Amino acid sequence: SQQGEEDPQALSIQEGENATMNCSYKTSINNLQWYRQNSGRGLVHLILIRSNEREKHSGRLRVTLDTSKKSSSLLITASRAADTASYFCATILTGGGNKLTFGTGTQLKVEL
Amino acid sequence: DTGVSQDPRHKITKRGQNVTFRCDPISEHNRLYWYRQTLGQGPEFLTYFQNEAQLEKSRLLSDRFSAERPKGSFSTLEIQRTEQGDSAMYLCASSLSGGALGEQFFGPGTRLTVL
């Protein structure tokens, strides 16, 4: 079963704009990760944030985590057409072993 | 290419047939995972190995599904008596125990279509 929901389900923006995606989850986590998936292909790990961290940056990516609200957001700044993809949050649950539990994903389209 | 590889990339089969998929993880990774992804959904965990030991299986993994990792390197996922509901992308991932708190490296997937 999916861990939670991502919002929005689809997002269309112009190149150069920022894109924000939100993820909610249901149970206690060890960490939360964001992955990107280009159409019909495998997933690429983007960034990982631990449960005791609140914010993390990696290049044009900024991730926040609010464990009290069980939510996370991914911000992509100065988006490019190459950022067009589906983005998934995934959690490692507390006591859940090593498996990833994914959200439902946000489809991002960046138009020229 | 030193990433995770999967074979075949696409498989079309008729209902009732058996299929087998192979995954070759990153060579030094001792953990290997299988996930299934249907259209418009996120991947769902099926099973995982640490070395050759299968440590966890999802309830999604019915008795028609079996996975092996005999020498702790490559893994196979077999589906017997396929059903149309088995049509999905089957993703393999690998990781190193103790590495980066759970970052997993995914292969390109095997897309299964059951007619």
Side-chain angles (χ1 to χ4, degrees):
Chain A
S1 61
Q2 307 283 213
Q3 160 72 309
E5 297 290 323
E6 289 182 62
D7 170 57
Q9 286 188 324
L11 179 60
S12 184
I13 60 173
Q14 298 293 311
E15 199 171 46
E17 294 180 336
N18 295 342
T20 300
M21 291 160 254
N22 303 296
C23 164
S24 62
Y25 57 92
K26 296 174 183 173
T27 57
S28 180
I29 62 171
N30 281 333
N31 65 62
L32 185 144
Q33 306 175 37
W34 286 88
Y35 286 80
R36 183 185 73 220
Q37 185 176 37
N38 290 90
S39 180
R41 304 178 83 171
L43 289 93
V44 174
H45 181 267
L46 295 176
I47 193 166
L48 181 152
I49 186 164
R50 295 181 177 87
S51 59
N52 62 352
E53 296 176 314
R54 291 297 166 257
E55 187 171 313
K56 203 158 183 181
H57 297 254
S58 176
R60 295 185 295 114
L61 305 180
R62 173 179 166 252
V63 170
T64 62
L65 179 64
D66 187 336
T67 53
S68 67
K69 295 180 179 177
K70 291 187 169 57
S71 68
S72 174
S73 68
L74 171 68
L75 168 68
I76 304 174
T77 60
S79 63
R80 305 166 181 167
D83 295 328
T84 295
S86 292
Y87 291 81
F88 294 91
C89 67
T91 51
I92 300 278
L93 305 182
T94 303
N98 298 287
K99 62 178 180 283
L100 290 170
T101 303
F102 284 86
T104 51
T106 293
Q107 278 189 293
L108 173 65
K109 184 173 183 181
V110 182
E111 300 187 78
L112 295 168
Chain B
D1 187 351
T2 56
V4 178
S5 62
Q6 292 187 246
D7 183 67
R9 295 288 306 277
H10 302 273
K11 179 71 177 178
I12 299 173
T13 191
K14 293 183 179 178
R15 191 175 51 188
Q17 298 294 306
N18 299 344
V19 294
T20 300
F21 309 140
R22 177 179 169 125
C23 171
D24 286 88
I26 293 172
S27 58
E28 62 268 27
H29 284 182
N30 57 347
R31 288 182 178 162
L32 187 147
Y33 310 79
W34 286 98
Y35 294 85
R36 181 173 69 186
Q37 185 178 25
T38 53
L39 204 60
Q41 298 295 313
E44 293 181 294
F45 170 79
L46 292 178
T47 188
Y48 110 87
F49 293 83
Q50 178 150 320
N51 301 313
E52 59 275 1
Q54 189 173 18
L55 296 187
E56 190 172 349
K57 289 168 61 172
S58 163
R59 278 172 278 183
L60 291 175
L61 215 65
S62 76
D63 57 7
R64 296 185 298 105
F65 288 70
S66 62
E68 293 182 343
R69 194 183 183 198
K71 296 180 181 178
S73 55
F74 73 91
S75 175
T76 57
L77 177 68
E78 181 183 16
I79 309 174
Q80 296 183 324
R81 304 180 305 280
T82 52
E83 302 173 356
Q84 287 184 324
D86 297 330
S87 295
M89 175 80 89
Y90 290 83
L91 293 162
C92 176
S94 69
S95 73
L96 197 56
S97 58
L101 295 176
E103 175 185 350
Q104 295 180 17
F105 296 81
F106 282 80
T110 294
R111 183 169 295 284
L112 173 66
T113 302
V114 182
L115 301 175

